[in-house]
Amino acid sequence: MAKKISFRYLIIGSNGLLGSKIKKNLPSKKTFCIARSFSDYNCDLLNLKKILDLFNKYEFSNVINCAALANIDKCEKNKIKCRKINLDFPIFLNSLSKKKKFNLILILTDQVYCKGNKKKYKETDKISFTNFYSKTKYLAEKHLIKNDKCLIIRTNFTGFKKNLKETFIGWILESLINKKKIKLYNDLYVSTLDVNYCSKAIIKLINLNAKGVFNLGSNSSLSKEKFAFIFAKKLKKKLYYESVSSKRTSIFRPQNLTMDTKKIEKKVKVNMPNPRKVINNLINETIIYENFRN
């Protein structure tokens, strides 16, 4: 029997915001990618037979699952698809991980920190869920935590996509460009990272053979409103907005998602950036200069 072709890294969801950055920061000859289109292996993730065929053909050391349905409103409207992508698919990968002996890296969410009233949440704090999106992520983590070859990353990140409205910071930028008034939460605090920094930190954890649960975010938090305000101020643009409470939304969102990052800082031997540094990183993205030139 011919020896299988081996790759050090497999990225699932390589055309997404995070997957595309991880792809960019990994050596191309050691990396294989799965996406719906324009990848090494084009596939609908709901086609588990085709995914299985890939794992029978190739060998992978580290499988990074970046695929997710992350829009909270869309998850509530399409619970079947949300469950299949955010819960059933990770469970499928977990089963494969045990059979094929690869390390599984699962990108999860900070939204499991919705209980208690802590200043910062540690990996050991109790987790739960408040909406269908966080429920699927919570259940996926509960299932995969038993796998000693699994790295679980609770994170919050943002960046720019071609369609600016698809990400938080892109939505802010689009509102600045068009001078459009938006609503911003004044009481929802997050430890958001820029996606490029987030991708590099994930790669460091993988290469250090890290296992278990890690918080990955900025070393402190800002409200969504404050984050957008500072971003606009640094660009010297006027932000037109209405300050609102996240409590007014029809779908419940946890208000304090500030993560304690001491564990990952100890592991990678690097301090996580503060929110202002994250904003500076976002401003340095090429898309900013493309949209604000002249």
Side-chain angles (χ1 to χ4, degrees):
M1 180 182 289
K3 187 178 180 180
K4 291 182 180 179
I5 300 173
S6 298
F7 291 91
R8 186 170 182 181
Y9 310 97
L10 169 65
I11 305 172
I12 301 175
S14 58
N15 290 342
L17 181 61
L18 180 60
S20 60
K21 285 293 183 182
I22 292 177
K23 177 184 176 181
K24 182 179 178 181
N25 290 317
L26 283 176
S28 58
K29 291 184 179 180
K30 296 181 180 180
T31 306
F32 195 92
C33 297
I34 300 178
R36 281 182 172 272
S37 57
F38 305 107
S39 70
D40 299 314
Y41 193 75
N42 300 331
C43 181
D44 184 333
L45 296 185
L46 300 182
N47 188 344
L48 299 185
K49 182 182 182 302
K50 192 171 181 181
I51 298 290
L52 184 58
D53 289 341
L54 175 72
F55 279 92
N56 288 332
K57 185 176 180 180
Y58 299 99
E59 288 183 346
F60 306 102
S61 300
N62 302 284
V63 175
I64 311 165
N65 182 35
C66 297
L69 193 61
N71 184 294
I72 293 175
D73 296 300
K74 288 182 179 179
C75 286
E76 292 291 335
K77 293 175 182 177
N78 195 340
K79 291 183 178 180
I80 294 175
K81 184 177 181 180
C82 175
R83 182 183 180 88
K84 286 181 177 180
I85 296 294
N86 292 352
L87 177 57
D88 296 346
F89 186 65
I91 289 175
F92 168 76
L93 290 176
N94 185 54
S95 177
L96 275 182
S97 170
K98 295 174 182 178
K99 294 176 183 178
K100 305 292 184 180
K101 309 298 181 185
F102 58 77
N103 298 319
L104 178 58
I105 297 88
L106 187 66
I107 312 301
L108 285 175
T109 179
D110 56 351
Q111 288 206 34
V112 293
Y113 292 125
C114 57
K115 296 294 183 182
N117 188 28
K118 299 200 172 187
K119 290 183 178 179
K120 290 185 177 182
Y121 287 94
K122 297 180 180 180
E123 291 86 351
T124 52
D125 286 326
K126 187 176 180 180
I127 63 172
S128 188
F129 56 88
T130 56
N131 49 55
F132 197 75
Y133 165 73
S134 60
K135 180 179 180 179
T136 57
K137 292 290 191 176
Y138 167 85
L139 293 174
E141 177 171 328
K142 284 294 185 182
H143 192 92
L144 273 71
I145 197 74
K146 303 168 187 176
N147 184 348
D148 60 8
K149 293 180 73 65
C150 187
L151 169 61
I152 295 171
I153 299 171
R154 297 174 185 161
T155 189
N156 185 304
F157 58 87
T158 192
F160 301 100
K161 297 182 75 172
K162 185 173 289 186
N163 182 353
L164 289 177
K165 294 181 182 179
E166 289 186 13
T167 68
F168 171 68
I169 202 62
W171 173 63
I172 300 301
L173 178 60
E174 194 265 347
S175 76
L176 294 175
I177 293 169
N178 297 318
K179 298 180 180 180
K180 183 172 64 177
K181 189 174 182 179
I182 56 175
K183 293 182 179 181
L184 290 168
Y185 297 136
N186 54 33
D187 55 1
L188 200 166
Y189 291 81
V190 290
S191 304
T192 303
L193 276 178
D194 59 285
V195 68
N196 190 49
Y197 191 99
C198 184
S199 69
K200 290 179 178 178
I202 290 169
I203 292 169
K204 282 185 180 180
L205 285 173
I206 294 170
N207 291 339
L208 287 168
N209 201 32
K211 300 293 185 294
V213 181
F214 284 84
N215 287 338
L216 175 54
S218 56
N219 63 13
S220 57
S221 63
L222 288 175
S223 69
K224 294 272 191 176
E225 177 187 312
K226 188 70 173 178
F227 195 96
F229 179 81
I230 295 173
F231 178 75
K233 187 176 180 180
K234 285 182 175 289
L235 287 173
K236 298 180 180 179
K237 296 289 178 179
K238 182 173 176 57
L239 179 65
Y240 298 88
Y241 73 98
E242 178 186 350
S243 179
V244 299
S245 171
S246 60
K247 294 178 182 179
R248 291 171 55 184
T249 60
S250 58
I251 302 171
F252 185 83
R253 289 166 168 82
Q255 290 179 286
N256 176 29
L257 296 171
T258 309
M259 292 185 288
D260 187 308
T261 56
K262 290 188 179 71
K263 182 178 178 181
I264 190 171
E265 289 174 345
K266 183 178 180 180
K267 186 68 176 180
V268 301
K269 296 181 172 56
V270 175
N271 291 331
M272 292 295 106
N274 61 44
R276 290 179 184 271
K277 173 60 177 173
V278 171
I279 292 169
N280 286 339
N281 291 343
L282 290 166
I283 287 174
N284 288 334
E285 289 279 337
T286 306
I287 193 170
I288 300 294
Y289 299 107
E290 289 177 350
N291 282 284
F292 281 95
R293 63 182 183 271
N294 303 322

